[in-house]
Amino acid sequence: FLKQLCKKRGLAPKRIVFVGDSSNDVDAFAFTRHGILVGQGTDVLRKYCWKQVDRLANIESILQKRNTH
């Protein structure tokens, strides 16, 4: 779904930040290369995530830093 959405909207995957916490998010992490893992996750999720936070509230500061670059 994410690939089709990017294509339809003309978005480059590198412009997408994907937030997830379970093994079904691995493909989206790999596709966008900007996956934020919430919680501990699995070894595979940790391998593919760009950033990791312990709780959802910590994502805001990551997004603010990314928007300034």
Side-chain angles (χ1 to χ4, degrees):
F1 174 78
L2 191 55
K3 289 178 185 179
Q4 291 100 355
L5 180 64
C6 285
K7 186 174 182 177
K8 183 178 180 179
R9 299 285 183 179
L11 298 170
K14 67 181 181 180
R15 306 250 326 139
I16 304 295
V17 174
F18 188 89
V19 178
D21 65 354
S22 63
S23 59
N24 66 328
D25 298 320
V26 171
D27 290 340
F29 280 15
F31 177 67
T32 65
R33 296 187 180 170
H34 288 101
I36 300 176
L37 173 58
V38 179
Q40 293 302 309
T42 64
D43 290 341
V44 175
L45 278 171
R46 287 190 299 274
K47 176 183 174 184
Y48 283 98
C49 74
W50 168 61
K51 302 281 185 180
Q52 184 174 1
V53 296
D54 58 347
R55 55 194 195 110
L56 201 54
N58 296 340
I59 293 173
E60 184 177 3
S61 64
I62 294 170
L63 297 177
Q64 287 174 345
K65 289 177 188 175
R66 180 169 159 74
N67 284 336
T68 61
H69 292 100

